[in-house]
Amino acid sequence: MINEFRKYQSDGLDAEGAYLKSKQLGLDFGQRMRMLTQVYGLSLAEYKVLAVRLDTSLTINEYQEQLLPDLEEAMKQAHNDHETRRD
C-alpha cells in the first residue's frame, strides 16, 4: 500500500488528497497515519491536525475545546472517587 501512495505522490497527489483517498480505500487509522508520515513526511502532530480538519471540519483548537467539558467532568469524578476511598 505504501508503494501505491508513493506513486500517487509522484503523480502530484498532496497529503490531503492522499488522506481522503486512503479513507475511500478503507485504510484504518494506523494505516493512514503510517502512510502520511512515511510517504508525505508529516509529523504526528501535523497528521493529527490534518485528520481532525478533514474528519470534523474543525480546527485542532476547536476540536480540543470541545473535549474540555468531558475532561473536566472526568477529573471531577476521579477526584470524588479518590475522596470517597479516603473516607
Side-chain angles (χ1 to χ4, degrees), residues 1-13 18 21-22 25 27 31-32 34-40:
M1 186 59 56
I2 294 291
N3 288 332
E4 183 175 340
F5 279 94
R6 284 198 171 108
K7 181 186 176 314
Y8 294 150
Q9 183 188 36
S10 66
D11 289 344
L13 189 66
K21 178 77 171 174
S22 66
L25 293 172
L27 273 63
Q31 292 170 318
R32 288 192 306 270
R34 279 190 300 282
M35 183 271 299
L36 283 164
T37 57
Q38 291 177 12
V39 175
Y40 287 86

Side-chain angles (χ1 to χ4, degrees), residues 53-83:
R53 182 173 51 81
L54 293 176
D55 288 345
T56 68
S57 298
L58 298 172
T59 67
I60 194 70
N61 289 336
E62 291 167 335
Y63 179 77
Q64 289 174 335
E65 285 174 7
Q66 286 186 346
L67 299 176
L68 283 177
D70 291 336
L71 290 172
E72 289 170 345
E73 182 60 33
M75 290 177 66
K76 191 182 305 179
Q77 184 62 46
H79 175 74
N80 291 341
D81 291 349
H82 177 74
E83 291 297 313

